[in-house]
Amino acid sequence: MDEGDDEILEDIKRNVEIRMTLLREKKFAELRKFLDETYGAEPDQRHAYECEVLWEEGKQDQALEETVGRLKSSDYNVHHIILCATYAWKLRRKDVADYLGLSFKSKELETSSIVLAQFVYRDLNGLEVSDEMRHTAWMLGADQ
């Protein structure tokens, strides 16, 4: 890594710290302003973070529907898959689990998001879940 990479990494760390602090402190208006300023040029990432805000505001169904809507529109990133699977599992939404299990199998996607989608599908459909799936779900925060 060169000096430029170090600066980028520091910026990412700082942004994550600010975002998580504002989220934890439930300063939603300030968080949305920060997200607009920081991720305005990256609408997919900005939208995924907005879904997290909605969830923390107590609007869990809306957060889930927002992630599902993005996945169905094909205008999403891996973070949307992870959030959707996590929310579906926490809300015990079998309909969303079925959609995830049948739609996200492509090896073009990040492996952990595929494993998480399969975990949610299998768990909510009463199918056997492997230790690897459960571990991946735990690592991504879904199985808690």
Side-chain angles (χ1 to χ4, degrees), residues 31-43:
L31 175 56
R32 283 187 171 101
K33 182 180 178 192
F34 170 76
L35 293 174
D36 287 342
E37 292 169 358
T38 307
Y39 302 102
E42 300 175 46

Side-chain angles (χ1 to χ4, degrees), residues 107 109-120 122-123 127-143:
K107 293 299 178 189
L109 297 172
E110 179 190 58
T111 303
S112 61
S113 63
I114 297 167
V115 173
L116 178 60
Q118 290 301 308
F119 164 80
V120 172
R122 296 182 69 77
D123 187 59
L127 303 172
E128 184 179 338
V129 175
S130 71
D131 290 340
E132 176 197 2
M133 287 180 173
R134 190 166 302 285
H135 179 72
T136 300
W138 176 78
M139 291 296 292
L140 293 175
D143 190 15

Side-chain angles (χ1 to χ4, degrees), residues 86-97:
T86 300
Y87 297 164
W89 190 81
K90 289 181 177 182
L91 295 174
R92 312 307 291 170
R93 288 281 302 271
K94 186 180 174 305
D95 59 323
V96 177

